[in-house]
Amino acid sequence: MDSVELLVNVTPNETRIALVDTGILKEVQIERQAKRGMVGNIYKGRVTRVLPGMQSAFVDIGLEKAAFLHASDIVSHTECVDETEQKQFVVKDIAELVREGQDIVVQVVKDPLGTKGARLTTDITLPSRYLVFMPENSHVGVSQRIESEEERARLKSLAEPFCDELGGFIIRTAAEGVNEEELKQDADFLKRLWRKVIERRVKYPTRSMLYGELALTQRVLRDFVGMKIEKIRIDSKLCFNEVKEFCEEFIPEMVGKLSLYAGNQPLFDVYGVENAIQIALDKRVNLKSGGYLIIEQTEAMTTIDINTGAFVGHRNLEETIFNTNIEATQAIAQQLQLRNLGGIIIIDFIDMQAEEHRNRVIQSLEEALAKDRVKTNVNGFTQLGLVEMTRKRTRESLEHVLCGECPACHGRGQVKTVETVCYEIMREIIRVHHLFSSEQFVVYASRAVAEYLINEESHGLLAELEVFIGKQVQVKTEVYYNQDQFDVVVM
């Protein structure tokens, strides 16, 4: 039987939450106070630029980068509209919808990613445990994941009386089976929240935040309410009390699952989470059979290469390849969720001759991805034998949250060899020699490069260079230099 636990590790200005399923780390979410996620925040912004050619506008909401608003996001809610009405819906020209200098209330739907600013919508929503509030809309919609038509009709009839001039609601998946009183509590809470936003809209100046999303821990509990979580362990008493208060008000059935961890050993160490996070930052992922994956994340896409490694199988090569690919599908699904990789993903499975094997690998991959809470789409094998798939981008990947660009290679993943740098230094000395009159040169270089230049017995590079230019060359070690960093000084 599966045992799902949420582990909450709190340190000053950082909260980390790990979802552990039967001892295996499935998901990690990290929130740092200095870089707190913005999705769900509501701002009073100002349109700074309208781009008719792109059908979009840039809005200043008080951040370093202007946020992006597309014409299709300046619309009334369509989630609750009948399909026939949706087909007739036409997005107006951006120039008819907004103008430069206009103040506008917007909500962030996507955090800034890389060089891109936040993405906005005027289609504001406020989520709670069972409902999503839609200001200035009279519709009631029901989550498509609630499949029973009878239950959908019941929930819709319960929620319709809550709609008024303030707005309407979408009924979330977690509401399945709940009673009228529970829905009413959520509806009243969301209306109080929206009234507060309306007050601030009048009082607050432009480029102000009118509403901030819940903290990570409360947000995760709200979103995981439908999951069968056995235990929620929190290692901070302050956070534990805040979460307990939140659960008592909004998710009472989770109160009994809360547990304050007070062990001497760090919580994440006890469950092996720290080690699993470090492994998730490596390119290589070892499979139990001896095979391995190589995961390369780039700006444009993520590529995954599968290799048999030490796995030789017991019968024949085709069986070995097939078994490795099947095992890889489980590891790929786990790593995509753990690393939170989104966008285009290209998988290079080991070539298989049998069409049946290829179909079974695709089926295995789809079954493994079905457990992912984020939407995925597998397109099957291409003519080159690659599998194309997509996974919805929700937030920054684990690598982007925890890592930065290498100061030595500047993101290339490679640095010049010591020998290459030595020859660059020699060419630079010759270039400077022709441009300036000098008595000698002093080279400042990294330790490895300096030692290579000085080692006359094996290379004799400096001796030959000094003869060639007729000048003395002195080498000094600069311990803080990267391998490909150097200076040539004229004396």
Side-chain angles (χ1 to χ4, degrees):
M1 183 179 175
D2 289 351
S3 171
V4 181
E5 294 184 75
L6 272 180
L7 311 177
V8 183
N9 167 238
V10 181
T11 50
N13 297 316
E14 183 188 60
T15 300
R16 300 185 300 169
I17 298 182
L19 177 68
V20 178
D21 187 349
T22 324
I24 298 172
L25 179 62
K26 292 289 186 180
E27 192 172 330
V28 176
Q29 292 196 36
I30 300 169
E31 183 174 82
R32 290 168 179 164
Q33 198 62 37
K35 294 184 177 179
R36 189 166 170 182
M38 298 168 53
V39 172
N41 289 0
I42 300 173
Y43 293 86
K44 181 178 180 180
R46 177 163 292 168
V47 179
T48 56
R49 196 175 174 197
V50 178
L51 304 172
M54 294 175 62
Q55 282 297 289
S56 61
F58 286 109
V59 182
D60 182 0
I61 57 174
L63 303 178
E64 186 180 341
K65 295 175 185 172
F68 180 82
L69 178 65
H70 193 268
S72 61
D73 293 316
I74 313 176
V75 295
S76 59
H77 298 268
T78 56
E79 295 96 330
C80 312
V81 182
D82 292 335
E83 287 185 11
T84 52
E85 290 182 51
Q86 287 189 27
K87 289 175 183 175
Q88 297 168 3
F89 188 82
V90 179
V91 177
K92 291 183 180 179
D93 187 274
I94 187 73
E96 298 177 30
L97 298 168
V98 293
R99 67 182 188 281
E100 288 187 15
Q102 174 186 346
D103 284 353
I104 189 170
V105 176
V106 289
Q107 186 170 37
V108 177
V109 291
K110 187 178 286 187
D111 280 325
L113 291 175
T115 58
K116 299 176 183 176
R119 177 139 187 183
L120 307 174
T121 181
T122 61
D123 198 8
I124 292 170
T125 57
L126 290 173
S128 67
R129 181 187 174 194
Y130 298 128
L131 301 171
V132 176
F133 180 64
M134 304 181 297
E136 301 171 8
N137 266 272
S138 57
H139 295 293
V140 172
V142 184
S143 167
Q144 294 180 351
R145 292 190 179 182
I146 299 177
E147 296 177 356
S148 167
E149 287 299 329
E150 187 179 337
E151 178 64 4
R152 291 172 67 88
R154 183 187 77 86
L155 290 170
K156 196 167 184 178
S157 65
L158 289 178
E160 279 175 344
F162 307 147
C163 297
D164 53 27
E165 70 282 354
L166 277 179
F169 297 92
I170 298 172
I171 299 170
R172 304 185 75 181
T173 310
E176 194 166 6
V178 304
N179 58 40
E180 182 179 3
E181 182 58 31
E182 290 173 299
L183 290 178
K184 187 176 186 303
Q185 287 175 355
D186 267 23
D188 290 344
F189 165 74
L190 290 172
K191 286 179 181 179
R192 286 198 303 271
L193 211 58
W194 180 242
R195 287 191 185 99
K196 185 66 69 176
V197 172
I198 292 173
E199 287 176 21
R200 291 173 179 171
R201 184 173 62 188
V202 176
K203 293 179 182 177
Y204 286 17
T206 307
R207 304 178 186 88
S208 297
M209 184 171 73
L210 306 180
Y211 164 78
E213 247 290 24
L214 296 170
L216 177 63
T217 311
Q218 287 91 327
R219 198 164 66 244
V220 167
L221 290 180
R222 180 194 72 194
D223 295 341
F224 281 8
V225 71
M227 290 187 66
K228 294 179 180 178
I229 296 172
E230 266 191 19
K231 209 78 177 171
I232 303 161
R233 303 185 191 276
I234 304 172
D235 64 6
S236 160
K237 190 170 184 179
L238 178 63
C239 180
F240 174 80
N241 291 334
E242 289 174 349
V243 171
K244 186 179 179 184
E245 185 180 335
F246 175 79
C247 287
E248 285 172 345
E249 186 173 358
F250 299 110
I251 321 174
E253 70 271 25
M254 279 196 172
V255 174
K257 299 176 182 180
L258 296 174
S259 169
L260 177 61
Y261 176 78
N264 293 325
Q265 195 176 357
L267 177 62
F268 274 25
D269 286 354
V270 172
Y271 284 79
V273 173
E274 294 288 11
N275 187 48
I277 291 174
Q278 294 306 314
I279 292 172
L281 296 175
D282 290 339
K283 288 183 180 180
R284 176 166 171 153
V285 178
N286 293 323
L287 304 176
K288 290 180 180 178
S289 64
Y292 61 91
L293 313 178
I294 297 293
I295 302 176
E296 297 269 7
Q297 184 183 353
T298 68
E299 187 75 22
M301 67 181 71
T302 297
T303 60
I304 303 176
D305 186 39
I306 296 96
N307 298 279
T308 54
F311 185 35
V312 294
H314 303 290
R315 295 184 184 177
N316 55 51
L317 180 61
E318 184 67 17
E319 183 193 72
T320 299
I321 290 171
F322 173 66
N323 289 335
T324 304
N325 284 338
I326 288 291
E327 184 185 7
T329 60
Q330 306 300 314
I332 289 168
Q334 183 198 349
Q335 290 298 318
L336 291 180
Q337 187 175 354
L338 176 55
R339 297 172 187 234
N340 196 36
L341 297 171
I344 300 170
I345 298 158
I346 306 294
I347 306 172
D348 186 6
F349 285 104
I350 308 167
D351 288 342
M352 293 170 287
Q353 302 300 319
E355 186 67 26
E356 182 190 353
H357 283 177
R358 291 157 68 99
N359 291 338
R360 285 170 64 184
V361 164
I362 290 293
Q363 183 183 352
S364 177
L365 179 62
E366 289 176 336
E367 288 173 357
L369 291 169
K371 301 169 187 174
D372 195 338
R373 296 187 306 116
V374 177
K375 185 180 179 182
T376 58
N377 182 40
V378 180
N379 293 331
F381 283 94
T382 67
Q383 289 183 337
L384 294 175
L386 305 172
V387 171
E388 293 179 350
M389 66 164 287
T390 58
R391 185 173 185 268
K392 186 178 178 182
R393 291 185 189 272
T394 54
R395 58 185 190 279
E396 289 275 23
S397 68
L398 186 65
E399 181 181 305
H400 284 168
V401 170
L402 298 178
C403 303
E405 186 180 86
C406 169
C409 72
H410 302 289
R412 297 194 309 272
Q414 293 179 320
V415 293
K416 294 173 182 175
T417 64
V418 170
E419 189 178 18
T420 298
V421 177
C422 287
Y423 281 107
E424 283 188 359
I425 291 172
M426 292 174 69
R427 287 195 298 271
E428 179 64 11
I429 291 173
I430 293 170
R431 187 183 72 82
V432 174
H433 167 68
H434 289 304
L435 291 174
F436 306 101
S437 60
S438 61
E439 295 182 7
Q440 68 169 20
F441 294 92
V442 179
V443 175
Y444 293 91
S446 66
R447 187 182 301 280
V449 171
E451 288 176 354
Y452 190 94
L453 284 169
I454 295 168
N455 191 347
E456 298 288 354
E457 292 181 6
S458 57
H459 310 299
L461 292 176
L462 279 186
E464 289 186 28
L465 180 62
E466 287 176 333
V467 170
F468 181 76
I469 64 175
K471 303 284 173 61
Q472 184 184 1
V473 179
Q474 190 179 357
V475 178
K476 293 190 176 182
T477 300
E478 184 58 70
V479 293
Y480 295 109
Y481 275 17
N482 297 323
Q483 186 163 295
D484 57 359
Q485 193 175 358
F486 66 86
D487 284 312
V488 174
V489 180
V490 178
M491 303 296 286

